[in-house]
Amino acid sequence: MDVNAAVAAAAAIAGVLTGVIAMLAFRWSERDQKRPTRTSLHTDPVLPPGVDTVLSVLGSSAVVLDESDAVVKASSAAYALGLVRGGKLAVEPMLQMARDTRRDGEIRQVELDLPRRGTGRGEALAVSARVAPLGSRLVLLLVEDLTEARRIEAVRRDFVANVSHELKTPVGALSLLSEAVMDASDDPEAVERFAGRMQIEATRLTNLVQELIDLSRVQNDDPLEDAEPVRVDELVAEAIDRCRHQAGAKQITMAAGGTADLHVWGHRGQIAAALGNLVENAVNYSPARTRVGIAARRVSVTGGDMIELAVTDQGIGISDKDKERIFERFYRVDPARSRATGGTGLGLAIVKHVAASHGGEVTVWSSEGQGSTFTLRLPEAGVARDRATDHPSDLDEEDGRPDGTTTVSFPYEPLPAPEVLP
């Protein structure tokens, strides 16, 4: 009996010990499961409170990296720039910056030139990258796209350089001619000849300064503040009258035609200057005894009717490589002829800005040796108030011609002219 009691007591004690051990093991396992592991630190990172909201409203491209360089958070702009691919930061210099910052906690910034993705062009994407620690485990990368800012700065530098060069030429000529006049004071014929040259250079300088003022005005002023309905017939007559002397000297016939009684909406002075520049270029770049035509018509496009003013000449034409640059400031297709005619290279740049600020566009068709047609397209009065914007609409269309020439927009010959102006 005593033996049986001892066995039962021992079994009871063993059962109690087994239960205690099992309970302790369960508690230990439960606590161990709640403990963060190295794997969980890498696979389930958490952004500090409020960071996600801030990143979503930033204009910069933002990328957050964890300890293993995996992307925790990336903005849509970062994907668009090609910074993030397959959950990893794809730009090695930025990745190295992030690792260095994670190691020593120092904020770093650098400017880089990155290749563009999917364009097939050699243009570089200029960016500014800034890396900073975010908490104890994460790193924040902010990237600013500087491409447009650099382009504008390059245009500004080129503009200043070109203005300096263009102003220096007539000023230097006037200085030399004045010295020549002084040295030839006892020769009336030489004085008269040099004085005539001085008048030509002074006129060129005056035109350059005036066109610089006009270009600055059309770039900075809002033409729609003083917009009004403008009769196209009056604009055409004014442009023809402006070039009547030059055309007469070269025996060039100027013809006006097209649809009558049309009106455009905008700043009368700016539109008149733009059309006048087109007609003046047509006369200057046309050989003697040829024809310059100006035609107007109404065309229907999405958003309302537009008025087209087409200026056609039978001049030297424009090559394909020049057509891409003719609207740049100071660019000349034929520099020698431009200087001979007093051209500054600003006329078409002014036309472009006037068209853009009025919600229209200017296009060109040209073939070398066959002449050119410049088409100024502006909103028609009455439907233009809601249409005009700060940028030209994208209405250009490539059109191949059987003779192998290239059309930017569509070719359009002026309609038969009802009258020929001498």
Side-chain angles (χ1 to χ4, degrees):
M1 189 61 131
D2 293 335
V3 174
N4 292 334
V7 172
I13 292 173
V16 170
L17 290 175
T18 301
V20 171
I21 291 172
M23 183 179 66
L24 291 175
F26 176 77
R27 292 291 179 86
W28 184 272
S29 175
E30 187 180 41
R31 187 178 63 179
D32 195 51
Q33 289 177 0
K34 293 181 178 180
R35 181 183 302 165
T37 62
R38 183 179 299 272
T39 303
S40 67
L41 285 174
H42 289 296
T43 59
D44 190 24
V46 178
L47 290 175
V51 173
D52 191 29
T53 303
V54 173
L55 295 182
S56 64
V57 298
L58 281 178
S60 308
S61 301
V63 181
V64 178
L65 304 176
D66 64 8
E67 293 176 331
S68 64
D69 293 332
V71 175
V72 177
K73 174 75 176 179
S75 64
S76 57
Y79 286 100
L81 288 178
L83 304 179
V84 178
R85 303 175 196 169
K88 293 289 185 178
L89 184 62
V91 184
E92 184 60 32
M94 296 182 186
L95 188 59
Q96 187 59 48
M97 287 174 57
R99 291 168 180 168
D100 295 341
T101 296
R102 187 185 300 111
R103 184 182 66 252
D104 56 22
E106 181 181 348
I107 298 176
R108 289 174 169 81
Q109 184 168 353
V110 68
E111 292 188 2
L112 301 170
D113 291 333
L114 307 178
R116 289 182 182 268
R117 296 184 60 198
T119 61
R121 298 177 296 180
E123 299 176 0
L125 191 69
V127 298
S128 173
R130 184 178 180 87
V131 180
L134 187 63
S136 59
R137 297 186 294 112
L138 304 178
V139 173
L140 172 63
L141 170 67
L142 294 177
V143 180
E144 293 280 353
D145 186 355
L146 304 178
T147 307
E148 184 65 15
R150 284 193 179 181
R151 188 193 67 80
I152 294 174
E153 182 60 29
V155 170
R156 184 179 294 112
R157 286 197 306 269
D158 291 344
F159 181 71
V160 172
N162 287 331
V163 167
S164 301
H165 174 74
E166 295 294 334
L167 289 174
K168 182 179 179 180
T169 301
V171 170
L174 287 172
S175 176
L176 292 175
L177 288 169
S178 64
E179 292 179 5
V181 169
M182 293 177 63
D183 293 339
S185 58
D186 56 347
D187 187 349
E189 292 184 1
V191 169
E192 184 178 356
R193 184 171 66 254
F194 292 142
R197 289 294 305 167
M198 291 178 67
Q199 285 185 340
I200 294 175
E201 295 299 333
T203 301
R204 178 179 297 174
L205 181 60
T206 301
N207 292 339
L208 176 59
V209 172
Q210 184 59 52
E211 290 199 342
L212 286 171
I213 294 173
D214 293 341
L215 180 60
S216 175
R217 182 178 296 118
V218 300
Q219 286 181 311
N220 297 326
D221 294 348
D222 182 4
L224 300 183
E225 290 183 357
D226 301 319
E228 59 179 335
V230 182
R231 286 183 58 89
V232 173
D233 295 342
E234 295 178 359
L235 294 174
V236 173
E238 184 175 331
I240 290 176
D241 188 64
R242 167 178 167 177
C243 304
R244 189 184 303 275
H245 177 72
Q246 298 97 308
K250 299 172 67 175
Q251 299 181 22
I252 292 176
T253 300
M254 290 191 292
T259 306
D261 198 27
L262 297 177
H263 294 75
V264 294
W265 177 259
H267 189 285
R268 191 187 190 287
Q270 292 189 13
I271 299 175
L275 182 60
N277 286 344
L278 292 180
V279 176
E280 185 174 11
N281 279 353
V283 171
N284 288 338
Y285 285 91
S286 293
R289 294 179 294 279
T290 56
R291 180 176 179 271
V292 171
I294 310 169
R297 69 171 181 176
R298 179 187 294 109
V299 294
S300 297
V301 298
T302 303
D305 291 341
M306 302 284 283
I307 302 300
E308 281 187 350
L309 294 166
V311 179
T312 300
D313 63 62
Q314 298 171 310
I316 61 176
I318 305 170
S319 66
D320 291 339
K321 65 180 183 66
D322 288 323
K323 276 189 283 191
E324 299 177 357
R325 301 190 57 190
I326 55 175
F327 294 102
E328 295 179 10
R329 302 164 186 166
F330 296 109
Y331 186 79
R332 298 180 177 93
V333 175
D334 186 350
R337 179 172 299 203
S338 295
R339 294 190 183 279
T341 59
T344 62
L346 289 174
L348 290 180
I350 293 174
V351 175
K352 176 184 175 182
H353 284 289
V354 170
S357 62
H358 283 76
E361 63 175 354
V362 59
T363 57
V364 58
W365 172 89
S366 186
S367 177
E368 290 186 272
Q370 298 184 27
S372 306
T373 297
F374 284 85
T375 303
L376 179 61
R377 181 182 293 185
L378 298 170
E380 184 176 18
V383 298
R385 295 170 179 80
D386 298 328
R387 177 179 171 81
T389 60
D390 291 334
H391 302 282
S393 55
D394 186 13
L395 297 175
D396 290 359
E397 180 180 350
E398 290 288 335
D399 179 22
R401 289 169 59 91
D403 58 2
T405 60
T406 301
T407 300
V408 181
S409 186
F410 50 88
Y412 157 34
E413 297 295 335
L415 300 176
E419 62 174 329
V420 175
L421 302 179

